[in-house]
Amino acid sequence: MAGLMFASHPIHTEAVAGIVGRADVGASLFFLLSLLCYIKHCSTRGYSARTWGWFLGTGLCAGCSMLWKEQGVTVLAVSAVYDVFVFHRLKMKQILPTIYKGKNLSLFLSICLLTFWGTSLLGARLYWMGNKPPSFSNSDNPAADSDSFLARTLTFFYLPSKNLWLLLCPDTLSFDWSMDAVPLVKTICDWRNLHTVAFYIGLLLLAYYSLKSPTTERECDGKFVTNGKQNANGHSCHSDAEYRNSEIKSSFASKVENGIKNNVSQRTQLPSTENIVVLSLSLLIIPFVPATNLFFYVGFVIAERVLYIPSMGFCLLITVGARALYVKVQKRFLKSLIFYATATLIVFYGLKTAIRNGDWQNEEMLYRSGIKVNPAKAWGNLGNVLKSQSKVSEAESAYRNALYYRSNMADMLYNLGLLLQENSRFAEALHYYKLAIGSRPTLASAYLNTGIILMNQGKTEEARRTFLKCSEIPDENLKDPHAHKSSVTSCLYNLGKLYHEQGHYEDALSVYKEAIQKMPRQFAPQSLYNMMGEAYMRLSKLPEAEHWYMESLKSKTDHIPAHLTYGKLLALTGRKSEAEKFFLKAIELDPTKGNCYMHYGQFLLEEARLIEAAEMAKKAAELDSTEFDVVFNAAHMLRQASLNEAAEKYYDLAARLRPNVSTFLMRSIPQGDRLQACDNFRLEAS
């Protein structure tokens, strides 16, 4: 029944259905393998040389379990509990005398080795972490961030009882329990303290009755032993009731087709209830200890996947309780009631698991299911999903709902600003970016997008200050260091472009070099390298420019801007055939990009291949008919090729694209003078 309960328990849905839960499933696999190896070690200790091979397997599997997830190392403590309290049947008051008198040296040696190996694994793990606990957002664990010692203490004491309730009655489950999903217990008068008191009293009573000192003696296999001590063959005796029950079961099981065997010594001994309770409590409590905030703060309030291993102890504990009641009651009706009640619980767990699996089918259903428990986080994540589905209005509504429940969420403010920016609502986007920066001054991506909007609006000085402020954010206490470094690099890249457009090429190069130094490994540098080449080319440092164009192409072999700019450099240095190859390659990479035809057309124009240049100009203008620069340059190339009628058509189109520019005056100029006016306007526009 314990196995069926574990298989059907809905608390496991997150660990099984979510990718991140693979860590818990893998840790559990090696956790159990390590425990089984140690059980083999205990049963063969003193009788076989293989016993230390089993112990080696215990250590290796414990290490593998920890590599899957940190709590896997707790299997060594569970193994020690099994050895002391289950295999050797020692009680609390017998442990110190056993150590003091030097009895059972093999037990003492095993426990010492378990302790040494556990300490070594923990030391290695701390070393890999940089000798400091992981950092997390204050909203992930509000109790840890509380200024009130009373609130922290009461909440941390309450959370284990809340986790036990989720195991016992998993009616309300959520993908995320952070923020205000579990409100802080701030006062002694909070009624949830009753849950805390009941939980710890029940836990202490279970531990006391399973570990209390023995008081009676009885005969076991022909020898008088004290209850709780090991007999001659390394096995332990049972309580009288369990002993009689075991005899009845074994005599029934020994019936065979040709009669009944009277060899009572072949009966199978069952573990005592006390043994199972001790093992259940150790499986329930010890793997959960790292999540209790007892030794260090963790980055969550409740995490259902963390209960995957502790649920083994819970399922075993419920089953042994049902078994003890079943053995104790005498009436057949009560026995049937206990059996069917346990079976019904398993069925209900299975039904809830089936329903919960439906919530984990896709992101949208999962986030909708979490609105009841954690509305701020659920609405925010749902907004991201709706945005990816191009449901803009629904996504905006979801973001605003999230901010209604928690108005200072920097990520949500940023996401709403990004949505508004993508829909050309720049003033509103700037407002939410500023709110996001106010909520989290280290949010580099908000600075980046703010600077881009300001730069596009012509507010270059404000944009410059924004980019500079972003580049000065310290790399400490960041929620996502990799994303932060990428955003800072992008800020420096855009600051360099700003200087470049203003003609400050030396300043631009200085900023680009700083960006390269701060650039994280995952950043795509091809555009940055290409702009470095552009700046050097403007400064007439052609070898340096060629170096960075080549670096850009090495970084991304199909980077079209680098093909075009490198082609211009090759043409400038007299390598005409090579230059033409790069222009043609750019067109091949993206035949729908009018800018590629435009650059190739300008190259052909400089080579006096006027007819070919005119064809490229027409193609460019057809593909990018809404781009003023492309259309206007196409008109100029057609004019140079003496295709005056086509040139006038595209000059007129350019005038409609920029009605505020003086080109509209050309419509009132007589036909004979219009082309000369077009040439004059070309000079003005350029």
Side-chain angles (χ1 to χ4, degrees):
M1 282 199 169
L4 288 172
M5 192 175 296
F6 181 83
S8 62
H9 206 297
I11 204 71
H12 299 152
T13 311
E14 180 178 359
V16 175
I19 293 291
V20 71
R22 289 184 178 180
D24 298 89
V25 177
S28 301
L29 171 64
F30 285 99
F31 186 101
L32 290 175
L33 287 174
S34 178
L35 185 57
L36 289 171
C37 285
Y38 194 79
I39 291 172
K40 285 285 189 181
H41 165 72
C42 291
S43 62
T44 59
R45 189 165 44 201
Y47 296 98
S48 171
R50 291 181 300 172
T51 183
W52 297 110
W54 287 114
F55 188 89
L56 180 62
T58 299
L60 290 175
C61 289
C64 291
S65 184
M66 189 200 73
L67 290 173
W68 277 98
K69 193 159 189 174
E70 288 85 346
Q71 70 177 148
V73 75
T74 58
V75 68
L76 299 175
V78 174
S79 298
V81 169
Y82 169 82
D83 202 353
V84 174
F85 297 109
V86 179
F87 185 79
H88 282 89
R89 294 289 184 101
L90 295 178
K91 301 301 176 178
M92 288 299 296
K93 76 173 192 177
Q94 295 174 322
I95 297 175
L96 289 177
T98 300
I99 297 174
Y100 179 74
K101 295 178 181 178
K103 294 180 179 179
N104 232 321
L105 291 176
S106 60
L107 168 64
F108 182 71
L109 178 60
S110 296
I111 299 300
C112 287
L113 288 173
L114 286 174
T115 305
F116 170 76
W117 185 238
T119 305
S120 301
L121 288 176
L122 288 173
R125 185 67 183 91
L126 286 172
Y127 174 77
W128 291 332
M129 290 171 61
N131 297 316
K132 60 181 180 180
S135 59
F136 52 87
S137 171
N138 297 335
S139 62
D140 293 335
N141 189 349
D145 189 53
S146 175
D147 295 329
S148 171
F149 175 77
L150 180 64
R152 288 200 307 272
T153 303
L154 293 177
T155 304
F156 288 150
F157 273 112
Y158 168 71
L159 288 177
S161 66
K162 179 68 175 177
N163 279 275
L164 182 65
W165 180 251
L166 288 178
L167 286 171
L168 186 62
C169 183
D171 177 54
T172 302
L173 299 175
S174 175
F175 72 96
D176 193 294
W177 289 84
S178 61
M179 299 183 181
D180 299 321
V182 181
L184 298 181
V185 183
K186 297 181 179 179
T187 65
I188 298 293
C189 299
D190 194 313
W191 62 272
R192 288 176 294 174
N193 289 317
L194 297 175
H195 296 174
T196 304
V197 172
F199 168 75
Y200 287 104
I201 288 176
L203 202 63
L204 290 172
L205 287 175
L206 273 175
Y208 173 75
Y209 283 112
S210 59
L211 296 173
K212 66 180 180 179
S213 301
T215 57
T216 60
E217 290 185 346
R218 66 180 185 276
E219 186 177 0
C220 180
D221 289 338
K223 298 181 180 181
F224 285 96
V225 296
T226 302
N227 182 27
K229 292 184 179 178
Q230 181 186 12
N231 61 18
N233 60 5
H235 294 283
S236 302
C237 301
H238 310 291
S239 63
D240 295 335
E242 288 172 328
Y243 186 89
R244 289 192 299 272
N245 185 45
S246 178
E247 269 196 324
I248 293 169
K249 289 184 178 181
S250 61
S251 63
F252 177 79
S254 63
K255 292 180 180 180
V256 289
E257 292 182 359
N258 58 352
I260 299 175
K261 293 184 179 182
N262 295 320
N263 186 0
V264 182
S265 64
Q266 291 183 358
R267 67 176 180 269
T268 303
Q269 292 188 358
L270 298 176
S272 69
T273 299
E274 291 86 353
N275 284 166
I276 302 176
V277 170
V278 170
L279 185 62
S280 302
L281 288 175
S282 67
L283 281 170
L284 177 64
I285 297 170
I286 295 175
F288 185 73
V289 167
T292 60
N293 297 276
L294 181 62
F295 299 108
F296 51 84
Y297 292 142
V298 296
F300 54 85
V301 178
I302 293 174
E304 294 167 15
R305 61 185 179 274
V306 171
L307 296 173
Y308 194 84
I309 295 176
S311 67
M312 299 176 190
F314 169 81
C315 294
L316 201 56
L317 195 61
I318 295 295
T319 306
V320 72
R323 174 179 173 270
L325 286 173
Y326 187 87
V327 170
K328 188 174 183 179
V329 299
Q330 301 298 323
K331 294 183 179 180
R332 189 185 185 96
F333 167 74
L334 293 176
K335 287 182 179 289
S336 299
L337 182 63
I338 293 168
F339 175 81
Y340 287 116
T342 310
T344 302
L345 180 64
I346 293 172
V347 170
F348 278 133
Y349 279 172
L351 290 174
K352 178 62 178 178
T353 298
I355 295 171
R356 185 61 177 159
N357 282 336
D359 293 337
W360 279 86
Q361 283 185 1
N362 57 62
E363 287 184 308
E364 183 175 351
M365 294 179 68
L366 179 64
Y367 298 144
R368 289 189 186 279
S369 71
I371 291 174
K372 180 181 177 181
V373 174
N374 192 345
K377 193 72 169 284
W379 277 117
N381 288 339
L382 183 60
N384 294 336
V385 173
L386 294 171
K387 179 185 173 185
S388 68
Q389 296 172 354
S390 300
K391 299 177 181 178
V392 177
S393 60
E394 293 179 51
E396 182 180 348
S397 177
Y399 288 141
R400 295 189 185 278
N401 284 337
L403 292 170
Y404 171 79
Y405 287 100
R406 196 177 179 91
S407 60
N408 64 341
M409 289 192 296
D411 290 328
M412 227 51 62
L413 291 164
Y414 170 77
N415 288 338
L416 179 55
L418 188 61
L419 180 71
L420 295 169
Q421 180 183 359
E422 290 172 355
N423 287 275
S424 302
R425 294 160 65 181
F426 300 115
E428 294 176 85
L430 278 176
H431 170 70
Y432 284 103
Y433 286 146
K434 289 176 181 177
L435 289 176
I437 292 170
S439 179
R440 190 191 301 162
T442 59
L443 187 58
S445 53
Y447 288 97
L448 170 63
N449 286 350
T450 299
I452 290 172
I453 292 175
L454 292 171
M455 190 166 62
N456 291 336
Q457 290 178 343
K459 301 175 181 178
T460 55
E461 184 57 29
E462 289 183 62
R464 186 187 68 81
R465 288 198 301 267
T466 303
F467 290 139
L468 279 174
K469 193 170 183 179
C470 176
S471 66
E472 294 168 357
I473 298 174
D475 297 338
E476 298 174 359
N477 300 321
L478 300 170
K479 186 175 181 180
D480 189 344
H482 295 295
H484 169 81
K485 290 180 180 178
S486 293
S487 295
V488 168
T489 305
S490 296
C491 275
L492 290 168
Y493 167 76
N494 281 281
L495 179 60
K497 280 183 66 179
L498 191 62
Y499 286 139
H500 188 102
E501 291 170 3
Q502 294 174 342
H504 306 314
Y505 303 118
E506 292 287 356
D507 292 336
L509 279 174
S510 177
V511 172
Y512 291 147
K513 289 174 182 177
E514 184 182 352
I516 291 173
Q517 289 177 349
K518 293 186 175 182
M519 180 176 64
R521 195 183 320 177
Q522 76 275 10
F523 188 83
Q526 61 273 6
S527 296
L528 178 57
Y529 294 160
N530 188 53
M531 289 303 298
M532 285 275 287
E534 282 281 276
Y536 276 118
M537 191 169 175
R538 295 285 183 175
L539 293 169
S540 300
K541 297 180 179 180
L542 301 186
E544 291 88 346
E546 183 169 3
H547 166 75
W548 287 108
Y549 287 147
M550 292 299 294
E551 287 295 318
S552 178
L553 290 170
K554 284 180 185 177
S555 177
K556 191 173 189 291
T557 55
D558 59 349
H559 187 53
I560 294 174
H563 280 81
L564 298 175
T565 51
Y566 189 41
K568 287 165 64 177
L569 176 65
L570 291 171
L572 186 64
T573 55
R575 291 173 279 179
K576 308 292 186 180
S577 59
E578 291 181 67
E580 187 168 3
K581 289 179 182 178
F582 276 91
F583 289 127
L584 291 172
K585 181 63 177 179
I587 293 172
E588 181 186 338
L589 288 171
D590 191 352
T592 63
K593 199 172 182 67
N595 195 41
C596 298
Y597 295 95
M598 180 55 58
H599 279 81
Y600 184 41
Q602 289 175 340
F603 168 77
L604 294 172
L605 186 64
E606 291 169 2
E607 294 297 302
R609 295 159 64 179
L610 301 181
I611 301 301
E612 294 175 79
E615 291 298 321
M616 292 297 107
K618 287 181 181 178
K619 188 72 174 177
E622 289 172 4
L623 291 171
D624 289 342
S625 58
T626 59
E627 294 291 331
F628 172 80
D629 292 334
V630 173
V631 173
F632 184 77
N633 284 319
H636 170 62
M637 284 193 284
L638 290 167
R639 170 77 177 90
Q640 293 294 105
S642 299
L643 298 173
N644 296 337
E645 187 175 344
E648 183 177 357
K649 170 187 171 183
Y650 285 111
Y651 276 130
D652 192 56
L653 177 58
R656 288 197 297 272
L657 290 173
R658 293 274 182 90
N660 58 324
V661 185
S662 58
T663 36
F664 73 93
L665 294 174
M666 290 186 296
R667 298 177 184 176
S668 60
I669 298 175
Q671 177 69 30
D673 300 328
R674 188 173 296 183
L675 292 176
Q676 182 60 44
C678 290
D679 282 345
N680 294 336
F681 172 66
R682 179 182 62 80
L683 294 174
E684 178 187 344
S686 61

